[in-house]
Amino acid sequence: VDLRKAQADGLLGDIVSMEFPDGAIVPLHVQAIYTRTELAGNFLTSLGLFEQHFLPTQQLDFLVMAKLKPGADAAAAVAAMNEIIKPYPTIELKDNEQYKKDQAASINQIVNIVYAMLFLSIIIAFIGIVITLALSADTWAGFAWSAPAGAGASSLSILRS
């Protein structure tokens, strides 16, 4: 259970009833509390419990993380993992730094889209200001020419003034 959820509901060391998509309500003992919910959400369960209560079509992994044992050979581990994922062309093996760079690139892409929309809004605002000024100048010019004519002056007297 994540820390905020545990503190809000008073779940530290308690047993909670969790309802699964198959309708089963299972009492679970809170065994761990974590602070970062970006990847896991508010709750984590064992793989066995997950497989037991979710349909096979719902059992999809979008991210798998592994931590090497202290003293393990990283190059050998990468080679072994590459052999495991070889039959799955959509799976990418990344180290921590590569994963962070990919996440930063996604965020940078969103920021660039926001900047592009801001730039377009400035251009549209500028065009609106130019159009408003042009209409305003045209209206005042028309008023200056039509005012004397409206007061009874002839076209000839307007041209002379």
Side-chain angles (χ1 to χ4, degrees), residues 61 64 81-82 84-94:
D61 295 326
V64 176
M81 286 186 270
N82 278 326
I84 292 170
I85 67 171
K86 194 178 275 187
Y88 309 100
T90 58
I91 296 177
E92 296 178 45
L93 183 62
K94 300 176 186 174

Side-chain angles (χ1 to χ4, degrees), residues 120-132:
L120 286 173
S121 69
I122 291 171
I123 290 173
I124 291 169
F126 181 73
I127 290 171
I129 291 169
V130 169
I131 290 172
T132 302

Side-chain angles (χ1 to χ4, degrees), residues 134-153:
L135 290 173
S136 175
D138 185 47
T139 301
W140 282 105
F143 177 74
W145 282 103
S146 64

Side-chain angles (χ1 to χ4, degrees), residues 37-92:
T37 61
E38 292 88 1
L39 297 175
N42 292 331
F43 300 97
L44 284 174
T45 66
S46 68
L47 186 57
L49 188 65
F50 179 78
E51 290 173 344
Q52 189 177 16
H53 294 286
F54 283 82
L55 297 173
T57 56
Q58 296 172 320
Q59 297 177 18
L60 302 173
D61 295 326
F62 71 94
L63 180 66
V64 176
M65 293 187 267
K67 184 175 182 178
L68 296 178
K69 290 182 179 180
D73 182 19
V78 168
M81 286 186 270
N82 278 326
E83 286 300 315
I84 292 170
I85 67 171
K86 194 178 275 187
Y88 309 100
T90 58
I91 296 177
E92 296 178 45

Side-chain angles (χ1 to χ4, degrees), residues 17-40:
S17 295
M18 181 170 279
E19 184 174 358
F20 289 93
D22 65 356
I25 298 175
V26 179
L28 299 174
H29 181 72
V30 177
Q31 295 181 353
I33 296 174
Y34 52 94
T35 57
R36 307 225 20 199
T37 61
E38 292 88 1
L39 297 175

